[in-house]
Amino acid sequence: MADELELLRNANPVPADAPRFGDGPLDQRAERHLADLLDGGRREGRRSAPLPGRGRRTGLPRGRAADGERRGQGGRRTRGPVRGSRGKAPWGRSAPLALGNRPARAAWGLAAALVVTVVTLALVLTGPGTPPAVAAPRPLVVQAGSTPVPLKVLAGRARAAAADGSPRLRKGTHVQSWSLGMSEDAPPITLPEERVVRWRADGSHTELVVATDPRHPGRPVLSDGGGARPVPDGHVISRRTYPPSWSDAPPESPPPHDAARLRAYLSEAAYLRAAPTTPELLDAVELLLDHWTLGARESAALAALLADTGGLRPAGQVTDRLGRRGQAYVYEGRGLRRMLVLDPVTGAVLGLESVFVRAEPAYGVKAGDVMAYSAWMR
């Protein structure tokens, strides 16, 4: 081993007293010593060992990298990416040192580029004195002093607004969503996305999903495509076109604009019992709005259905995450507070928010954290 180390020291093109950091080719002496080392290693039938403790001079990282492994895979329970372990080198397995000038410089350049990228992203996402662009949204706050509007009153307003039948029902959706991904070995992260689904006359449809957060226009957004990573605002996650298809079963078939029939429709769409509970009904409403953009009559029927169901407490006026004013209706149970936001005149659903009412330390969740939020648009 002592002989090999001496050969390595002699072959190193950047001795300790060199004025530059190895940006030139090996000289003849170094080439000869390196050839002696490689020939000797083959003759002895063993590989030359990496050079320990000399990362400063070669520009290569010390120690062993992560070997491509990731912690926490399979531990995440809700929607969201699996993130790699922290503090491990991102360039994979460390190899025996290549002392030729080009391999050494290439490895150094890769390491330097990765360090610069990580530092740059950290600064962009968590700039000094500014909240990170990918932080979870705060819960919606009911305006102090606002007057809660009972659902029956709002349902009456929606019925009056739907007298002319405009706007009409349209298949497809346009929704902005924030969803929390959790695991037992990493802090929770929030993924903001926007999805637009449009149907054509021939029964085909398109789906466009982009990573965007209207709270922070122009700033990077965290995406789970290929693992949690920051992407530019408006980055296209997926763009798909689907062939023609038809179905007469909910939620693919058009929803009725009668409250009683709409209840049966939602129960069939979400595979619910004949008399769904309030949280089950809210889940079914979310399913419906991810397939259809309701018209005035369907919105009025849904408001009437919600008014007859009970369990939703009128809370007052809120401004949703797209800057729209609405009336909030709250249901609390099973560790979550769910807030449904309706247009105060037409009864159209603007948003649905789910917030933890108690901490979940195993997943890094605090009481008051937003688990999910959806904002629907026409």
Side-chain angles (χ1 to χ4, degrees), residues 24-45:
L26 291 173
D27 58 24
Q28 293 182 354
R29 179 187 62 83
E31 289 280 10
R32 185 175 65 254
H33 282 292
L34 183 58
D36 291 343
L37 173 65
L38 296 177
D39 290 343
R42 281 193 292 268
R43 284 195 302 268
E44 295 174 16

Side-chain angles (χ1 to χ4, degrees), residues 18 45 83 87 91-92 100 104 107 110 146 154 157 202 205 214 256 283 288 312 366 368 375:
R83 287 174 288 174
W91 44 80
L110 174 61
S146 62
L154 188 60
R157 294 180 184 176
D202 65 355
H205 69 281
D283 289 338
L288 170 67
L312 284 168
K366 303 183 296 297

